[in-house]
Amino acid sequence: MRSGTNLPRVRDYNQGVVLEAIRVGDGVSRVEIAENTGLTAQTVSNIVRRLLEEELVIEDGVDPSGRKPRVKLRIKPGSRYAIGALIDRDETSLVLMDLDGRIVGRESRTVDQQQGAQGVLDQIAEATKSLVQAAKIDPSRLLGVGLGCPGPMDHDQGILYEPLDLFGWNWHEVALKQDLAGRIGLPVIVDNDATAAAVGERWVGGAQGVRNFAYIFMSIGLGAGIFIENQPYRGDTTNAGELGHMTIDIDGPLCFCGNRGCLETYCSPNRIVNAVRLRLEHGEKSSLTDIPLNRIDLTAVTSAALAGDSLAMEELRYSARMLATGIINMASLLDLKLIVLGGTHMAEAGPIYKEEVEQALNKRLLTRNLQKVCVELSVAGKDAGAVGAAALVMHEIFAPRLAELNVVSQF
Ligand SMILES: [Zn+2]
């Protein structure tokens, strides 16, 4: 639990600390909040009164176990909502989430590459309206929309720059934030999909109490969302965490980014599928032999591996071992406590990767005898990207962060 400060000028920071304590503590009392955060009883009491007035929290029952009965505090269900949209190569997926991390609506739409950026934003605007209508929520309680997508991008301005592999030339310098806000009349926040997933992991209950961790987000591409000292680390141009383009071998295979031997070229879902197809073409035995080559996709390979197919398993394990190498490099550089594995691919093949990454960290990390780095699968599962995008909105408004108090004014 992080500590608050009693300085009157950082009242909003303390409010964020108390709200977080209530969210994480679910049923926590004012006395416990004061104990856990280091804030005075009076400060906690004042802030809780304000949170009750703003209908962000509720008093929900009494804990009779102490010397004096203590009123339990919880986030008010349905008090505020955010929509999160993840843009990936083949589809956009959206969730409607409340302040407590509860998902009350989902929608996904297929992306047609020909429709271009503006067409995809039209789709997201439509899906936003339909989600709000279907869930029958009060639209005034919807705070905004978070958008997660692969970079490079300018997070502050919400502009996407040439995600080379994903969309092609017609996505160059797209003002995602401005263009979507214009369509829906709500604040929009844009972030790298991996960073969004890391923020979301925290919001829905994972990585609790871990100051330094990385969220490895693996879907079509590969990236890392990094938390340093309890805050997302975005770097100087807001593009930190491009793990997929860490060089593993300068003479390695050509990557779409123009360099050779990027980590992604060894472990991406595309590489796994291509490797399996190639081996089948060469006549190797597998339970996948009878499936036409063009119908073999990642889901088929993963299912075969989990059902005991050794060829499919070998390729997944190779990918996992290579990813583990990249993760060791990152953990060596950043000194992390936890690695979270998430994204569409991890939702299916996560256990295989978890085993390989754990083993590699235990055996090879320089600091292995000092502290064990934990490896966990994302608690958000298949929704991780969209949940993360929704959490961006909540995080910007409610999470305690001294340096970004001014961001609240955008909403
Ligand atoms: Zn690359």
Side-chain angles (χ1 to χ4, degrees), residues 244-245 255-259 262:
H245 301 284
C255 176
F256 71 83
C257 74
N259 297 302
C262 291

Side-chain angles (χ1 to χ4, degrees), residues 244-247 253-265:
H245 301 284
M246 171 187 283
T247 307
L254 193 63
C255 176
F256 71 83
C257 74
N259 297 302
R260 286 196 171 275
C262 291
L263 179 59
E264 224 174 279
T265 63

Side-chain angles (χ1 to χ4, degrees), residues 323-344:
L323 178 64
T325 296
I327 290 174
I328 285 176
N329 291 344
M330 194 173 61
S332 298
L333 192 69
L334 298 173
D335 193 6
L336 304 167
K337 167 72 184 158
L338 168 72
I339 301 294
V340 181
L341 304 175
T344 332

Side-chain angles (χ1 to χ4, degrees), residues 99-179:
L99 181 58
D100 213 13
R102 213 166 39 102
I103 295 171
V104 294
R106 279 187 182 82
E107 199 160 325
S108 61
R109 310 230 169 166
T110 307
V111 169
D112 171 1
Q113 298 248 7
Q114 301 306 314
Q115 70 193 120
Q118 299 304 325
V120 170
L121 290 175
D122 283 340
Q123 263 187 351
I124 292 173
E126 275 170 32
T128 297
K129 280 180 200 143
S130 101
L131 270 174
V132 171
Q133 277 166 8
K136 297 190 172 67
I137 63 160
D138 174 359
S140 70
R141 294 191 177 262
L142 182 60
L143 299 167
V145 175
L147 265 188
C149 62
M153 67 174 59
D154 180 328
H155 159 71
D156 300 321
Q157 301 296 320
I159 298 171
L160 185 64
Y161 292 94
E162 287 185 288
L164 296 168
D165 193 31
L166 211 52
F167 305 123
W169 61 270
N170 53 347
W171 279 72
H172 181 57
E173 280 191 42
V174 184
L176 289 177
K177 180 174 175 165
Q178 191 188 316
D179 292 353

